[in-house]
Amino acid sequence: MDFLGEHSPDLLPGNRPLPPIQGAIEAPHGTTIVAATFPGGVVLAGDRRATMGNVIAQRDIEKVFPADEYSAVGIAGTAGLAVEMVKLFQLELEHFEKVEGAQLSLEGKANRLSTMIRGNLGMAMQGLAVVPLFAGWDVDREKGRIFSYDVTGGRSEEHGFASTGSGSVFARGALKKLYRDDFTENQAATAVVQALYDAADDDSATGGPDLARRIYPIVTVITDEGFKKLTEAEISEIARAVHERRFEQPDGPRAALL
Amino acid sequence: MSTPFYVSPQQAMADRAEYARKGIARGRSVVVLQYTDGVVFVAENPSRALHKVSEIYDRIAFAAVGKYNEFENLRIGGVRYADLRGYTYDREDVTARGLANVYAQTLGTIFSSAAEKPYEVELIVAEVGNAPEDDQIYRLPHDGSIVDEHGSVAVGGNADQISSYLDQHHREGMTLGEALKLAVESLSRDTNGGERTLTAEHLEVATLDRTRPQQRKFKRILGRQLSRLLDEHSGAEAEKPAEGAAGDAGSAEESAGAGESAGKGKGANGKGANGKGGSGASDKEASGSAGSSEGSEESSEE
């Protein structure tokens, strides 16, 4: 990172001259990311839609990336900047690991991401914000952990579940009613797909499972065995099951009143 | 007033080369072998923390002998070069050839600059391809030259003897266990003909495994996995000759015994060269040369 800054500072985000124009810049935005922990790991999932104003810019964008073997980042906000930020983040983690011969701690990774988001504050003020969700397996404490961020780089650890992006309020509401702390891996994956379905139900910028085009949410799982992305077959099974049940209950599973 | 003595450039270069070679020869050796699924690195290194073998990039790894601070410097430089390349362009655009060139430039400049002492290091840069034919191994001596190697290579204190041993016994399509066993055999032979036993605690082993599902193919083989691989093959070695099968492990072992005496007597050297010449049909050749060098063992005993 320092080396890159010294040699080719123009490659670093945040070092570009800001455009002098006023008003919002039209660029594709990513939308909803949700995460939930379960005993033995954490799931991180995202929908597939990118929007530019009222237009759907891309319907099969991928917004959840492995950061390294034991962590993943889901991005919401300006897609181009966010993808580049993740690329640089991945590079930094890998570089550190190779040079030092040891992985950064999960806290260390979360702090590093925090600094990178803060570096983008200038762009965020122009309407090009990047707000990721970071999840990983803490090798020392042996549990899955989730970190959420705000545009200024403020970092906070979330217990149980978290969401970010335009559909996050709806996703959080759904997950709040569904979440239990004794989920299995498959139950946790189903819960996040339910939450994304509810977000897509109420937020126009979030895409639901597109059964006709076979575009399903990206669901990733991080356990002590490392990062794993569910295959299309596995996700389609969950997404179809969720979709089937919605024919009977369009609003999804009902929680007990008391 | 004293005037500096005139030293001819040839002499100056020879002195520097001599200095570097001596430094390198003090250390233990590292061997690198191709096997079916990739490239295996075996170093004699009792330390768990100070590595002689390290990852550079997805398909590229680095092995070095000599002064630790000097090759560590080069290693970090290599990681930086590779990461910067990969970030600027694409992960595919980082190649062992490019990296070896950078190392050669660096080593060459340092070697011929009068202001600095030459680096006392010898490096190996290897890249694993999609098939064994695509694997690349480069050896970089202290003076900045590049040697493109195939099959097997050794650097360090006892490199000449080890690499001639490896040339005789290495063949294409070895399994990881077989390659590891051959590497350990070659490393455990002393210059004076004696043999030491090398256990898992003395070895640093890593592979570039093309079958690994992850993007990064480098993997260290540590602790229990390493002892298991070593034990498996010492077990197999005991069984094979008993079965009467003309197993490679068996013949390799025999000629290992014979090679010791050949080291002094030079009697089997001609035969060793024979074995190398026809390395295509290595199975038969190996057992053939083993047989003939057995004969020479007898003669040297006489």
Side-chain angles (χ1 to χ4, degrees):
Chain A
M1 173 85 185
D2 302 334
F3 182 72
L4 186 61
E6 222 171 84
H7 279 254
S8 322
D10 55 307
L11 285 175
L12 290 175
N15 282 355
R16 302 179 186 84
L18 293 180
I21 49 160
Q22 294 295 312
I25 300 163
E26 289 267 296
H29 276 63
T31 44
T32 310
I33 303 290
V34 290
T37 57
F38 62 92
V42 56
V43 291
L44 182 67
D47 73 311
R48 301 293 292 274
R49 184 171 288 182
T51 55
M52 203 158 68
N54 63 323
V55 178
I56 295 173
Q58 199 182 342
R59 49 178 110 251
D60 63 349
I61 191 175
E62 294 198 11
K63 294 183 282 191
V64 181
F65 304 93
D68 65 358
E69 204 158 341
Y70 289 103
S71 61
V73 201
I75 49 162
T78 316
L81 294 177
V83 170
E84 195 187 17
M85 188 183 285
V86 171
K87 238 181 104 182
L88 191 61
F89 185 53
Q90 291 170 327
L91 171 78
E92 272 205 61
L93 298 188
E94 188 188 323
H95 189 75
F96 182 94
E97 188 188 328
K98 285 191 290 198
V99 170
E100 302 292 327
Q103 285 211 341
L104 269 172
S105 64
L106 194 68
E107 293 276 340
K109 295 176 204 171
N111 286 338
R112 186 65 206 130
L113 187 58
S114 182
T115 322
M116 294 177 74
I117 298 166
R118 195 167 300 127
N120 192 51
L121 188 60
M123 294 292 230
M125 302 297 272
Q126 304 246 337
L128 301 176
V130 176
V131 190
L133 199 58
F134 179 65
W137 175 255
D138 193 323
V139 186
D140 300 323
R141 297 182 201 189
E142 303 204 321
K143 61 171 187 174
R145 298 171 74 188
I146 305 169
F147 296 90
S148 69
Y149 297 89
D150 61 37
V151 278
T152 59
R155 187 206 92 168
S156 59
E157 182 168 0
E158 305 280 344
H159 297 281
F161 57 90
S163 64
T164 182
S166 65
S168 62
V169 272
F170 308 111
R172 179 193 290 275
L175 213 44
K176 193 192 267 177
K177 300 296 171 205
L178 289 175
Y179 182 77
R180 292 198 316 273
D181 54 13
D182 59 347
F183 273 154
T184 63
E185 180 185 319
N186 189 269
Q187 285 172 326
T190 310
V192 292
V193 172
Q194 288 277 20
L196 285 172
Y197 200 107
D198 283 325
D201 211 15
D202 291 318
D203 173 36
S204 64
T206 304
D210 190 339
L211 301 180
R213 293 194 181 81
R214 290 172 213 281
I215 300 170
Y216 306 106
I218 299 280
V219 182
T220 63
V221 184
I222 306 148
T223 61
D224 59 349
E225 284 166 18
F227 174 89
K228 173 181 82 175
K229 185 168 146 185
L230 295 195
T231 61
E232 199 189 300
E234 287 169 314
I235 303 171
S236 77
E237 195 181 315
I238 295 171
R240 279 173 193 280
V242 169
H243 189 73
E244 285 299 316
R245 294 287 293 154
R246 298 271 168 149
F247 283 114
E248 294 150 35
Q249 288 183 321
D251 293 337
R254 302 225 190 289
L257 188 57
L258 270 175
Chain B
M1 197 183 106
S2 65
T3 42
F5 287 111
Y6 170 74
V7 182
S8 72
Q10 288 91 338
Q11 187 57 47
M13 283 300 142
D15 286 351
R16 293 171 78 86
E18 176 73 15
Y19 170 78
R21 256 202 302 275
K22 275 193 177 153
I24 294 165
R26 273 195 293 273
R28 298 281 186 204
S29 309
V30 176
V31 299
V32 178
L33 298 174
Q34 273 181 276
Y35 69 102
T36 27
D37 292 334
V39 181
V40 59
F41 298 74
V42 185
E44 192 183 342
N45 185 2
S47 167
R48 296 286 121 227
L50 308 174
H51 296 299
K52 286 186 174 180
V53 179
S54 333
E55 174 184 18
I56 296 282
Y57 210 62
D58 291 353
R59 295 173 160 271
I60 305 172
F62 165 100
V65 291
K67 273 193 95 168
Y68 181 78
N69 69 320
E70 293 176 351
F71 69 69
E72 177 69 3
N73 221 345
L74 291 167
R75 182 184 74 85
I76 291 174
V79 171
R80 281 182 173 166
Y81 163 85
D83 280 345
L84 183 59
R85 271 276 142 131
Y87 180 71
T88 318
Y89 306 111
D90 187 75
R91 295 191 82 91
E92 270 179 36
D93 299 317
V94 182
T95 59
R97 198 177 54 85
L99 180 68
N101 272 319
V102 173
Y103 278 144
Q105 291 297 325
T106 314
L107 284 172
T109 311
I110 292 169
F111 182 73
S112 47
S113 123
E116 283 175 276
K117 81 166 195 59
Y119 270 17
E120 297 159 73
V121 295
E122 187 156 5
L123 314 179
I124 297 176
V125 173
E127 179 175 354
V128 68
N130 292 321
E133 309 83 86
D134 303 332
D135 291 348
Q136 295 171 35
I137 304 177
Y138 298 100
R139 182 165 63 85
L140 296 131
H142 52 82
D143 60 355
S145 46
I146 302 189
V147 190
D148 188 356
E149 302 273 4
H150 298 278
S152 64
V153 53
V155 290
N158 198 8
D160 290 342
Q161 201 191 334
I162 293 176
S163 45
S164 69
Y165 180 80
L166 288 175
D167 282 344
Q168 285 172 40
H169 295 97
H170 182 265
R171 57 191 169 75
E172 278 174 31
M174 290 177 114
T175 64
L176 176 58
E178 286 166 352
L180 189 59
K181 178 172 170 288
L182 174 59
V184 173
E185 265 171 19
S186 70
L187 283 176
S188 55
R189 287 148 41 84
D190 267 341
T191 7
N192 54 16
E195 219 170 306
R196 297 166 296 136
T197 19
L198 288 177
T199 58
E201 287 85 66
H202 300 111
L203 294 170
E204 180 184 355
V205 180
T207 58
L208 281 170
D209 183 351
R210 75 179 110 255
T211 60
R212 211 169 180 250
Q214 284 95 326
Q215 198 166 30
R216 289 161 69 182
K217 308 294 180 194
F218 183 84
K219 185 172 183 295
R220 289 189 190 283
I221 299 179
L222 302 163
R224 223 175 307 150
Q225 196 191 358
L226 178 58
S227 346
R228 205 182 55 234
L229 269 171
L230 289 171
D231 289 346
E232 245 173 50
H233 276 268
S234 55
E237 170 194 341
E239 281 164 29
K240 273 192 183 173
E243 284 168 21
D248 310 296
S251 60
E253 191 199 10
E254 281 167 41
S255 57
E260 274 170 46
S261 55
K264 280 183 234 163
K266 304 273 176 196
N269 263 13
K271 275 132 200 169
N274 276 351
K276 232 203 274 183
S279 63
S282 51
D283 269 20
K284 283 180 191 170
E285 287 289 339
S287 52
S289 74
S292 51
S293 51
E294 241 177 283
S296 73
E297 188 183 11
E298 280 164 31
S299 64
S300 65
E301 268 170 304
E302 276 167 24

